[in-house]
């Protein structure tokens, strides 16, 4: 979802994530009872102006517990890869990423079983049966278009093959960005399998600007008219649209079919052998607290993971209207987790990327 350049939330971390290992920030040398918790996360929940859901949650958490949050942001796949590289010298306490990368983290034994307080109110489909991860913010895959240049959003995938979209379409890189990987999942669903999906994406390449490691950077290009269409997700793009008046969210369909989407939640897990495991558990509990969940739509522009939290704010109402009439399907995450590399390789072969 998401950038592949790991970067810190400076106001929270107080040190550069890329300046060296996190031990430079006091990570590995800290006592287990240190008042700190380190979060590796896919981007999208932090506001550009310090007004995102993470900004609110981390600030409130620190005020209530005295525990500082050190935050490192990256692409959905990259934060998992970084956690894997550090397996023998664990730096992160909490990992937040998107499917299928959260499932991959669990399969790589990077996560420790922990059911946060409030997770009993999360739907079974949105958490691991073995409690290795739980969704903290629900979200859905989508596309964005420039409302000024395109008064009506394209309806079909096939519309994007028109010559008027040449060098005006871009989607983030599958296998690196969570939303880019979601493009493959959605295309395979809508076109009925890997081969027809790759055939379509091969055709789309004639209009595609090229790969992008960051999905979040595409929306500003769409708002400015540099692009007409790009991929994204509802939570991130809805939040961005508050400052980008030309940004519109839509859900592509195969010609003759229904508009579809699927859940793409931010899922969180306690990192195995986390240096500050107790603090990681406290933060996970806090993220799923009723108060924090009420802010998911009001502040973050997403959907509460807890089903007993019924938000009635203006954002929640607008989000519900946006999703009206869109069919939601459930991907076979087991298959995707097992075969993701082969799907990404097929995409590379089809597009020459």
């Amino acid at each position: 979802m998401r950038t592949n350049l790991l970067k810190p939330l400076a106001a929270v971390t107080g040190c550069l994530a890329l300046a060296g290992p996190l031990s430079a920030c006091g990570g590995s040398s800290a006592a287990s009872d240190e008042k700190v918790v380190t979060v590796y996360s896919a981007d999208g929940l932090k506001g550009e102006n310090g007004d995102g859901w993470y900004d609110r949650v981390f600030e409130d958490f620190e005020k209530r517990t005295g525990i500082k949050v050190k935050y490192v942001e990256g692409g959905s796949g990259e934060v998992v890869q970084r956690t894997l590289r550090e397996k023998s010298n664990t730096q992160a306490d909490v990992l937040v990423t998107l499917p299928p990368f959260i499932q991959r983290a669990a399969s790589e034994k990077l996560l420790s079983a922990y059911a946060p307080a409030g997770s009993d109110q999360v739907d079974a489909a949105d958490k691991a049966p073995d409690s290795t991860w739980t969704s903290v913010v629900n979200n859905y895959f989508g596309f964005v278009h420039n409302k000024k240049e395109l008064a009506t959003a394209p309806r079909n995938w096939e519309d994007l093959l028109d010559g008027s979209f040449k060098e005006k379409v871009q989607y983030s890189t599958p296998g690196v960005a969570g939303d880019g990987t979601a493009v493959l999942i959605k295309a395979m669903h809508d076109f009925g399998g890997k081969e027809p999906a790759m055939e379509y994406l091969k055709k789309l390449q004639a209009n595609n600007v090229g790969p992008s490691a960051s999905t979040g950077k595409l929306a500003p290009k769409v708002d400015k008219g540099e692009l007409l269409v790009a991929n994204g997700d509802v939570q991130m793009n809805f939040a961005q649209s508050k400052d980008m008046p030309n940004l519109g969210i839509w859900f592509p369909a195969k010609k003759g079919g229904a508009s579809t989407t699927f859940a793409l939640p931010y899922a969180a897990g306690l990192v195995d052998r986390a240096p500050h495991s107790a603090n990681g558990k406290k933060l996970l509990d806090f993220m799923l607290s009723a108060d924090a969940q009420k802010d998911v739509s009001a502040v973050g522009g997403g959907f509460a993971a807890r089903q007993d939290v019924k938000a009635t704010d203006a954002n929640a109402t607008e989000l519900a209207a946006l999703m009206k009439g869109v069919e939601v399907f459930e991907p076979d995450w087991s298959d995707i987790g097992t075969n993701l590399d082969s799907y990404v390789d097929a995409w590379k072969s089809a597009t020459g990327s």
Side-chain angles (χ1 to χ4, degrees):
M1 68 206 16
R2 318 270 194 227
T3 68
N4 77 330
L5 176 64
L6 291 173
K7 56 186 179 181
L9 177 57
V12 179
T13 64
C15 63
L16 293 177
L18 289 177
L22 285 178
S23 58
C25 304
S28 62
S29 62
S32 61
D33 60 350
E34 185 184 6
K35 288 284 195 174
V36 67
V37 59
T38 298
V39 178
Y40 284 8
S41 178
D43 65 326
L45 293 177
K46 175 190 171 295
E48 291 294 328
N49 302 308
D51 55 357
W53 187 68
Y54 270 162
D55 303 275
R56 173 73 64 84
V57 168
F58 294 165
E59 181 181 358
D60 289 350
F61 177 72
E62 183 174 343
K63 285 180 179 177
R64 297 191 190 188
T65 65
I67 300 170
K68 287 182 176 277
V69 179
K70 292 184 177 180
Y71 175 70
V72 178
E73 182 179 279
S76 301
E78 186 160 355
V79 290
V80 174
Q81 285 301 313
R82 179 162 180 166
T83 308
L84 181 60
R85 289 196 302 269
E86 297 172 348
K87 194 171 183 178
S88 62
N89 183 28
T90 308
Q91 302 294 321
D93 301 302
V94 172
L95 177 67
V96 185
T97 190
L98 311 178
F101 300 103
I102 192 67
Q103 287 89 345
R104 174 161 287 187
S107 70
E108 293 283 358
K109 309 299 183 185
L110 299 180
L111 304 176
S112 181
Y114 178 66
S119 61
D120 59 323
Q121 298 296 329
V122 176
D123 281 351
D126 296 326
K127 58 186 176 184
D130 61 358
S131 299
T132 49
W133 58 266
T134 305
S135 297
V136 291
V137 172
N138 279 351
N139 192 17
Y140 297 90
F141 173 76
F143 266 64
V144 289
H145 74 287
N146 182 292
K147 294 191 295 185
K148 184 178 179 181
E149 300 294 332
L150 300 173
T152 302
R155 171 165 171 73
N156 305 315
W157 287 102
E158 291 85 350
D159 293 340
L160 303 182
L161 301 179
D162 188 82
S164 62
F165 287 98
K166 183 150 182 80
E167 296 186 350
K168 291 291 186 178
V169 176
Q170 192 171 18
Y171 60 91
S172 50
T173 308
V176 175
D179 289 328
T181 305
V183 171
L184 294 188
I185 296 169
K186 174 85 157 63
M188 287 192 293
H189 172 269
D190 288 0
F191 286 95
K194 181 178 75 172
E195 296 305 324
M198 299 309 159
E199 183 180 343
Y200 167 79
L201 292 172
K202 182 178 181 178
K203 294 177 182 177
L204 182 62
Q205 198 66 9
N207 288 344
N208 185 24
V209 173
S212 170
S214 168
T215 311
K217 291 181 180 178
L218 299 183
K221 294 181 180 181
V222 173
D223 183 62
K224 294 173 184 175
E226 295 174 21
L227 297 172
L228 293 179
V229 168
N231 70 310
D233 64 75
V234 174
Q235 178 276 326
M236 179 174 64
N237 294 145
F238 183 82
Q240 289 173 318
S241 69
K242 299 301 182 181
D243 298 316
M244 300 179 191
N246 297 322
L247 210 62
I249 299 172
W250 65 290
F251 305 91
K254 186 178 183 297
K255 194 170 184 178
S259 295
T260 65
T261 189
F262 62 96
L264 204 58
Y266 292 87
L270 182 70
V271 177
D272 187 46
R273 293 184 293 177
H276 309 100
S277 180
N279 294 345
K281 291 178 180 179
K282 290 177 183 178
L283 180 59
L284 289 169
D285 290 346
F286 193 79
M287 285 179 168
L288 275 176
S289 67
D291 286 345
Q293 288 288 300
K294 287 175 183 176
D295 284 337
V296 168
S297 56
V299 177
F303 304 80
R306 284 182 57 155
Q307 297 306 299
D308 62 333
V309 174
K310 305 298 182 184
T312 58
D313 57 88
N315 284 348
T317 301
E318 193 173 344
L319 286 164
L322 183 67
M323 297 295 297
K324 189 174 182 180
V326 180
E327 293 184 6
V328 179
F329 66 91
E330 185 174 340
D332 185 344
W333 291 117
S334 176
D335 169 75
I336 294 165
T338 300
N339 298 300
L340 178 60
D341 290 342
S342 67
Y343 294 151
V344 172
D345 287 343
W347 169 80
K348 289 178 180 178
S349 178
T351 62
S353 300

